[in-house]
Amino acid sequence: SITNPMADAVEVFAAVAAGDLTQRLSTESKDGLGEMGNHANAALARFADEATLWSWGKDELNLMAISGYIAGVTPVIPAHRFGNACKLLMEAGMPYEDIKMTRSNKLSGYYGIQHPPLRPHNALDDALSIAYVLQHLLRTGKLTKEALLNIG
């Protein structure tokens, strides 16, 4: 049973981002994951409202689509609502060559942002690294709120 939809959403989408949701299908029932995924999708959709969901590259979108299909989860967030944060960093002045070579967990280091240690290949820490950078770029005026909200 679902007791905390947002916590379930974080668990499912962290598993998706880590690429291991399909591996979990062998240890959990497909129906249970589908139900959990539907609740997680709904919780994420409510949380995001109409905002664009940014990731570093398009892996999360692809993994969510594939894992959701396998688990029988009906998508409630259309694909066009997922954005590649690389676009935002290019708008903020990060050279394309640097974008191609910088992994999501190394982004905050690229900008010299101080924060607690981050683990590589950890979905939550990768998301935090991106969030720290977007906050930094907003605070320094290199990124506009309109670009982040995908307005215009």
Side-chain angles (χ1 to χ4, degrees):
S1 74
I2 307 300
T3 56
N4 184 338
M6 203 59 213
D8 292 335
V10 170
E11 179 182 338
V12 169
F13 292 111
V16 169
D20 66 2
L21 183 58
T22 53
Q23 292 172 353
R24 290 175 53 194
L25 286 173
S26 61
T27 58
E28 297 183 36
S29 78
K30 181 179 173 191
D31 292 339
L33 276 176
E35 178 186 339
M36 189 168 131
N38 282 326
H39 287 288
N41 266 326
L44 182 62
R46 282 191 304 275
F47 172 78
D49 195 25
E50 295 298 317
T52 298
L53 300 168
W54 297 101
S55 66
W56 191 243
K58 287 286 190 177
D59 290 348
E60 288 78 5
L61 172 60
N62 293 329
L63 288 170
M64 283 180 62
I66 293 166
S67 298
Y69 175 78
I70 290 170
V73 175
T74 304
V76 295
I77 303 171
H80 73 271
R81 294 261 318 280
F82 291 85
N84 186 339
C86 299
K87 172 187 166 189
L88 294 175
L89 272 65
M90 281 183 67
E91 287 183 31
M94 185 176 187
Y96 180 68
E97 290 301 317
D98 291 351
I99 288 173
K100 290 191 318 185
M101 296 173 36
T102 307
R103 311 230 5 119
S104 58
N105 66 306
K106 300 290 185 184
L107 274 175
S108 54
Y110 177 89
Y111 283 95
I113 300 167
Q114 299 298 312
H115 55 73
L118 300 174
R119 299 160 291 184
H121 303 293
N122 178 282
L124 178 58
D125 285 358
D126 287 353
L128 284 170
S129 181
I130 295 166
Y132 292 144
V133 168
L134 294 178
Q135 287 175 344
H136 168 77
L137 294 173
L138 284 166
R139 289 178 181 146
T140 59
K142 292 182 180 178
L143 180 66
T144 66
K145 178 178 74 169
E146 291 76 18
L148 183 65
L149 296 176
N150 210 16
I151 300 171

